[in-house]
Amino acid sequence: MFMKSLRSLFALLVIPLVLSMGLGLSASVMAADGQTNQQQVATNDVDLWRAVKSGESGYTTANNVEAGVLINVVGNEGKDIRNEYLIPVMGITVVAVFAAFLFFYLVNGPSKLSKGFSGKMVLRWSKADLWIHWVLATSCLALIFTGLNIMLGKYILQPYIGEGLWAGLIYGSKTIHDWVGPVFIVSWILCVVKWMPLQTFKMYDLKWFLVVGGYINFGPFKGKHPDSGFANAGEKMWFWTLTIFGLFIAASGLMLVLPGLDLPREASMAALLIHAISAIIIIAFTIVHVWMATVLSEGGMECMVSGYCDENWAVQHHNLWYDELKDSNSIAYKD
């Protein structure tokens, strides 16, 4: 009887203890397994996100170019270069070049004709030349102003105008930029083909640079008028800059706007950067060209308005070209 009672007491005390220990051990094992699984999932997430940020490709049902790439590293890096470097450089270039020529004009003044105007006008540009020039100039300026708004507008204009006005302005700039581009390309091609024979550099062009084209009105350079053919050295530099970087800007622009081109992101970003760099260079030279043609050269603007230049202007600024016309008896005067 006593032994039976002892076994009953053992069952009541020990068995629950063993069961509780077993359950506790099982719970610990399960908790440890759960924690391990969570750590594994976290590790997998980190590895996945690291792979995504590094630009590794995965698998999607889409089959277009780079469909399996969630984040394009080159695209992000190119965007950073554009925002951190090219946009500030573009703004600084516009202000610095314009300010430099304004300062030069205020200090030096325009390049006057040493013998004044003769009143006799010599044919310099044909009607076709004038059309090519002004279509190219108008389209180029339209692209410059709309491009500057696209690149710099959100920093200069957007903070000070309403959202509705800014939305219309940026949309209009983008639309004009896209549609004027082909006009620029066609006129650029005509310009290059028609004027290239007149733009070869000669040895006398070096002296033109050394005396700053005869535009200095003070010091040892005053009154120095270097030899020049139909185009002077500065005009030749502007032509070849427009030719080379016009090609870059036209090709990259077509890559950016043509919808049928299914390009990798790297190619698109390269086109965007080339487009911006080429635009900066063309803008700088355009400012110089406009200053030189309109205010620094007395009588220079008339050439591209009527196609005729004053005879004294031709002798002073393009003497070799004038001498060729005179020697061949082919000077055409305006009636």
Side-chain angles (χ1 to χ4, degrees):
M1 180 68 178
F2 174 76
M3 293 300 295
K4 184 177 181 181
S5 300
L6 186 60
R7 285 195 299 269
S8 299
L9 180 61
F10 178 80
L12 290 173
L13 295 177
V14 177
I15 292 176
L17 179 60
V18 172
L19 290 175
S20 64
M21 291 177 62
L23 291 174
L25 181 60
S26 299
S28 299
V29 172
M30 292 177 63
D33 290 341
Q35 186 176 5
T36 301
N37 291 336
Q38 291 178 353
Q39 292 176 346
Q40 184 64 42
V41 170
T43 301
N44 292 339
D45 289 344
V46 171
D47 292 339
L48 175 61
W49 184 237
R50 183 181 294 114
V52 167
K53 291 195 295 183
S54 67
E56 292 186 19
S57 61
Y59 172 77
T60 63
T61 56
N63 57 7
N64 58 310
V65 176
E66 293 185 325
V69 179
L70 184 60
I71 295 180
N72 188 288
V73 178
V74 174
N76 284 341
E77 292 174 349
K79 181 187 66 177
D80 293 338
I81 292 174
R82 175 181 179 271
N83 294 338
E84 295 180 16
Y85 298 101
L86 296 184
I87 288 178
V89 167
M90 178 174 285
I92 293 171
T93 298
V94 172
V95 175
V97 175
F98 188 89
F101 268 84
L102 178 60
F103 176 77
F104 178 80
Y105 177 77
L106 295 175
V107 172
N108 182 79
S111 175
K112 297 283 188 178
L113 294 178
S114 57
K115 296 183 179 180
F117 289 98
S118 68
K120 294 190 291 185
M121 305 299 291
V122 177
L123 179 63
R124 179 167 170 81
W125 298 103
S126 68
K127 294 295 183 183
D129 291 322
L130 294 181
W131 273 103
I132 293 173
H133 173 269
W134 285 112
V135 172
L136 179 63
T138 303
S139 60
C140 185
L141 290 175
L143 292 174
I144 287 175
F145 285 117
T146 55
L148 286 174
N149 189 47
I150 292 170
M151 290 281 281
L152 303 176
K154 65 179 179 181
Y155 305 103
I156 298 175
L157 295 178
Q158 187 179 7
Y160 307 103
I161 61 178
E163 292 183 1
L165 179 58
W166 168 249
L169 186 61
I170 193 64
Y171 177 78
S173 296
K174 180 65 169 61
T175 303
I176 293 172
H177 203 83
D178 291 348
W179 283 98
V180 172
V183 178
F184 169 82
I185 293 174
V186 172
S187 57
W188 170 81
I189 293 173
L190 294 175
C191 159
V192 171
V193 172
K194 196 171 192 304
W195 297 343
M196 185 179 291
L198 303 171
Q199 307 299 324
T200 55
F201 282 98
K202 307 292 184 180
M203 287 301 298
Y204 54 73
D205 289 323
L206 178 61
K207 186 178 179 181
W208 191 96
F209 286 116
L210 294 177
V211 299
V212 199
Y215 287 92
I216 303 296
N217 293 330
F218 56 87
F221 295 139
K222 183 177 181 179
K224 301 290 185 180
H225 301 301
D227 291 336
S228 178
F230 181 88
N232 62 42
E235 291 168 336
K236 292 175 182 179
M237 178 175 286
W238 161 236
F239 173 85
W240 288 109
T241 299
L242 181 63
T243 298
I244 295 171
F245 291 98
L247 175 62
F248 290 159
I249 208 166
S252 59
L254 290 174
M255 291 174 64
L256 293 172
V257 301
L258 289 181
L261 297 177
D262 193 9
L263 299 174
R265 183 65 61 86
E266 288 85 356
S268 298
M269 185 52 63
L272 183 63
L273 296 180
I274 292 172
H275 200 78
I277 294 171
S278 301
I280 292 171
I281 295 172
I282 288 179
I283 288 171
F285 274 85
T286 299
I287 295 173
V288 174
H289 179 70
V290 171
W291 267 106
M292 298 286 285
T294 57
V295 296
L296 287 183
S297 177
E298 184 180 40
M301 188 63 182
E302 179 64 26
C303 296
M304 301 313 301
V305 174
S306 66
Y308 290 85
C309 65
D310 189 88
E311 190 169 41
N312 286 347
W313 184 92
V315 172
Q316 180 169 315
H317 292 288
H318 299 274
N319 61 311
L320 298 180
W321 166 68
Y322 176 80
D323 290 342
E324 290 177 2
L325 292 179
K326 188 175 181 180
D327 293 341
S328 61
N329 197 29
S330 56
I331 297 178
Y333 291 100
K334 186 176 183 180
D335 296 335

